[in-house]
Amino acid sequence: EATNFQDACPNGSLVIGYEESTDSNEVAQLQTMCGTPSVSADGSTMLVTPGATLILRGGITAPLVSSICPANQVVVGFDGRAVALLDQLSVRCAPVTISGQTLTVGSITNLAPLGGNGGQPFARTDCGSGMVAVGTNVALRNWVSGFGLVCASLGVK
């Protein structure tokens, strides 16, 4: 049976990516990386500086590989492959622009997938319009067996 965890970035922080370890077929460990948002000098863009690193989840030790969004982008979705375990994870990132009081998620960047090619592809899952990731849901059975994002509206500080 899986053990479920919800790893939330500190209040006001956003998910900027993950440290992952994989064996040849599955995601063995997963660690959420958070970033702290601020506003650019001209007020048009949300800047993100690396912040908290949350607890490493998973019981199978392997070298960690970074899957971090490009500078000043945050996690907005993911896709991958799975059957009983999470075989592959590909993170989706986007910048955030500011116009007056309106925050808008920009064009999405798909990071290279980490993990194996086993399992079946699952549907791309995005946070939704005007939302970004603020945490991660992880299910474990030694390896990572489930993954999801905790999303929040950009209007929430």
Side-chain angles (χ1 to χ4, degrees):
E1 181 160 318
T3 303
N4 299 311
F5 299 94
Q6 186 173 88
D7 295 329
C9 287
N11 194 26
S13 295
L14 309 170
V15 178
I16 60 169
Y18 297 92
E19 292 280 337
E20 302 173 48
S21 68
T22 61
D23 63 12
S24 60
N25 298 308
E26 291 92 20
V27 176
Q29 295 174 298
L30 188 73
Q31 185 170 36
T32 303
M33 310 298 286
C34 302
T36 305
S38 61
V39 178
S40 62
D42 67 3
S44 67
T45 307
M46 186 176 75
L47 305 176
V48 185
T49 53
T53 298
L54 304 183
I55 192 167
L56 181 63
R57 302 288 185 192
I60 306 299
T61 304
L64 292 172
V65 178
S66 294
S67 185
I68 305 295
C69 293
N72 301 317
Q73 293 192 25
V74 295
V75 173
V76 296
F78 66 96
D79 58 23
R81 303 177 69 86
V83 176
L85 299 171
L86 182 62
D87 294 289
Q88 185 182 87
L89 179 63
S90 179
V91 177
R92 296 167 51 77
C93 303
V96 176
T97 58
I98 304 166
S99 177
Q101 296 298 314
T102 305
L103 296 132
T104 306
V105 174
S107 297
I108 290 178
T109 300
N110 292 296
L111 300 184
L114 294 178
N117 291 318
Q120 297 297 316
F122 56 79
R124 183 180 81 210
T125 303
D126 289 335
C127 281
S129 181
M131 298 181 82
V132 297
V134 296
T136 307
N137 290 313
V138 180
L140 294 178
R141 289 195 305 250
N142 270 343
W143 285 270
V144 177
S145 59
F147 176 87
L149 296 176
V150 179
C151 299
S153 169
L154 282 169
V156 177
K157 185 173 185 250

